[in-house]
Amino acid sequence: MPELALYGGAPYRARPFPQRTPFTEEAVALAVEAIRSQNLFGPSGRFVPMLEREFAALYGAQHAVACSSGTAAIHIALGTVNPNPGDEVITTPITDAGGILPILFQNCVPVFADVDTTLNLDPQDVERQITPRTTAIIATHLAGNACQIEALAEIARRHGIALIEDCSQAHVTRYHERYLGTYGDIAAFSLQQSKHMTAGDGGVVITNRADWAERMRLFGDKGWLRGPRGGRRSYAVLGLNYRMTELQAAVALPQIGTVRAAVERRMELGAHLASRIRDLPGLQPPPVTEGSEHSCWMVPLHVERWTAARFAEALTAEGVPAGAGYIGEPIYLCMEALAGRRTFGVSAHPLDGCHGGRPIEYAPGLCPRAEEALRHLVTLNIHEHYTREDIEDIAGAIRKVATHLPPDL
Ligand SMILES: *Cc1c(COP(=O)(O)O)cnc(C)c1O
């Protein structure tokens, strides 16, 4: 019997996995070109407007605005919806802090709906959470797997509330015939280093709504109606400086042409991995949403017999880095701003019932299915430069751990 590396045996995989190399020589050349132009400021540059045009074209969207991060993109999206202070925004408990911070900074109240077995928002629970103060839903396509976005769009339409898609983990990923990000009113993307398309940090927002296009641009540019130089300035909306620089746009630009191939490669590798571990007792990948591709921003595994932390530790010891629980606990327990109501000064604003809103507290038990799912969630990372042999090694290491690690549940 092979001994687990956790107990001193030889690791299943001794070699490191390949490094991801999203920045090609073309990106280097464009970055150099940007620097040589002596202008790195987006609004007067070449590369930021080009990235916006090409990103919009990739999605068949009418309007795209590039910005400094995924968090900024979500903030621009919500600022464009323009809720009243004290309004409620329904979202998922399994997301990045970047999906929550913009809600708080717009003086709104995050309301959490529970997830289904795919770890994405359960539309029925979303509908149950709607109140007269609900202004928007932020739907995250977790790990590269779609939410039931058509059901959510129907609910949003019926209640007259906005639907924001957070596509930070699901660039160029299809649900039925269309890319995720084209189902809601407005969609936000992160271009952070780990994302399918990256500028190190960066973000993009897209919409087809002509009435929102201008506000979307102004919100990330201090609200500034840029007119002729000099004279009295006009700041038309309350916004922030979330501008993308020319350097970020230059290195992101070549990926417009390659991101779909990268995502397809991840899908192929992810499907291969799933097929190699299908028969193992005690673990399985969570179901993929009916009609969705899974672009494998991360590869989730649901383990039953072991605590996620223990399984991840054993797998990591075998040379296959693994994490437990993605963010560990639902975001309302991870963020002191929510769990501890530590927001602005000594206030609990905007969770304190401001502007006739509903005071709210976040505690364990709020979304029981999400809490339970994260306790059983092990996450792996693959990327487009992995080979079939790398996937075979990951599958072999999972098999070894699943076969030999004593259950602790
Ligand atoms: C990465 C991520 C964000 C935040 O993006 P940043 O670029 O890090 O600000 C928001 N939501 C989700 C789902 C993400 O994965």
Side-chain angles (χ1 to χ4, degrees):
M1 177 174 113
E3 200 181 356
L4 287 174
L6 190 62
Y7 301 131
Y12 191 91
R13 164 92 180 198
R15 286 182 297 132
F17 286 93
Q19 189 196 6
R20 183 170 174 236
T21 52
F23 304 117
T24 57
E25 283 308 311
E26 189 187 353
V28 173
L30 293 182
V32 168
E33 197 180 322
I35 295 167
R36 291 229 164 95
S37 79
Q38 301 298 338
N39 171 62
L40 295 179
F41 182 56
S44 58
R46 238 183 86 219
F47 292 112
V48 170
M50 204 185 296
L51 180 69
E52 291 175 339
R53 274 197 307 277
E54 295 198 10
F55 198 95
L58 179 65
Y59 275 86
Q62 293 299 309
H63 312 280
V65 169
C67 59
S68 54
S69 71
T71 307
I74 295 165
H75 200 175
I76 290 171
L78 190 59
T80 299
V81 172
N82 200 17
N84 287 310
D87 280 359
E88 298 172 9
V89 177
I90 300 173
T91 193
T92 171
I94 308 183
T95 187
D96 185 89
I100 308 300
L101 293 164
I103 304 174
L104 296 174
F105 280 92
Q106 280 308 104
N107 299 298
C108 290
V109 179
V111 171
F112 294 96
D114 213 342
V115 299
D116 59 23
T117 54
T118 71
L119 309 180
N120 273 319
L121 276 176
D122 172 0
Q124 287 185 347
D125 200 42
V126 168
E127 186 148 30
R128 273 194 289 275
Q129 303 299 331
I130 292 175
T131 74
R133 293 306 297 268
T134 307
T135 300
I137 299 167
I138 300 179
T140 304
H141 305 294
L142 192 75
N145 174 44
C147 297
Q148 293 180 51
I149 195 66
E150 284 170 331
L152 290 172
E154 191 275 319
I155 290 166
R157 210 165 24 243
R158 192 149 36 77
H159 291 269
I161 58 188
L163 178 59
I164 299 169
E165 289 182 81
D166 181 354
C167 301
S168 296
Q169 302 181 7
H171 308 61
V172 291
T173 304
R174 284 200 185 98
Y175 175 72
H176 294 152
E177 291 311 305
R178 275 152 57 194
Y179 283 151
L180 295 172
T182 63
Y183 286 89
D185 297 292
I186 188 164
F189 300 78
S190 168
L191 304 187
Q192 184 268 339
Q193 180 70 33
S194 71
K195 306 301 164 77
H196 291 320
M197 186 175 164
T198 175
D201 259 320
V204 184
V205 202
I206 60 172
T207 190
N208 282 330
R209 287 188 56 158
D211 57 332
W212 281 2
E214 189 186 31
R215 189 176 173 88
M216 185 166 91
R217 174 159 308 282
L218 291 177
F219 192 88
D221 191 20
K222 299 187 284 196
W224 189 359
L225 280 172
R226 289 172 182 276
R229 284 189 63 161
R232 182 185 176 275
R233 292 183 182 184
S234 181
Y235 295 101
V237 308
L238 184 63
L240 289 151
N241 177 353
Y242 282 150
R243 293 184 302 248
M244 176 182 274
T245 71
E246 286 286 279
L247 269 181
Q248 288 166 291
V251 298
L253 206 46
Q255 295 165 61
I256 294 275
T258 57
V259 63
R260 178 63 196 178
V263 158
E264 282 177 2
R265 175 70 178 157
R266 283 185 188 232
M267 288 176 196
E268 181 192 322
L269 294 170
H272 183 59
L273 178 58
S275 77
R276 301 292 283 113
I277 59 175
R278 186 158 296 147
D279 58 323
L280 289 179
L283 67 90
Q284 73 262 328
V288 177
T289 302
E290 175 87 38
S292 179
E293 294 179 335
H294 193 309
S295 53
C296 294
W297 179 70
M298 59 185 172
V299 177
L301 286 180
H302 178 93
V303 298
E304 269 147 26
R305 301 174 179 178
W306 310 271
T307 51
R310 181 120 183 100
F311 195 91
E313 186 190 11
L315 201 50
T316 302
E318 297 299 339
V320 175
Y326 172 42
I327 54 173
E329 285 189 296
I331 197 74
Y332 55 79
L333 299 178
C334 295
M335 289 178 70
E336 254 324 283
L338 299 180
R341 293 162 66 85
R342 273 189 250 284
T343 52
F344 301 98
V346 295
S347 78
H349 181 85
L351 312 172
D352 56 355
C354 66
H355 298 273
R358 154 166 78 125
I360 195 161
E361 293 197 30
Y362 307 95
L366 188 63
C367 296
R369 278 176 277 156
E371 291 174 21
E372 181 66 7
L374 292 186
R375 279 195 277 275
H376 293 271
L377 178 65
V378 170
T379 61
L380 309 171
N381 291 107
I382 64 170
H383 61 68
E384 56 274 22
H385 306 312
Y386 275 34
T387 63
R388 282 249 164 177
E389 295 72 61
D390 294 325
I391 299 299
E392 288 297 332
D393 280 350
I394 295 172
I398 294 172
R399 181 173 301 271
K400 181 180 171 189
V401 171
T403 314
H404 299 291
L405 186 68
D408 62 341
L409 282 185

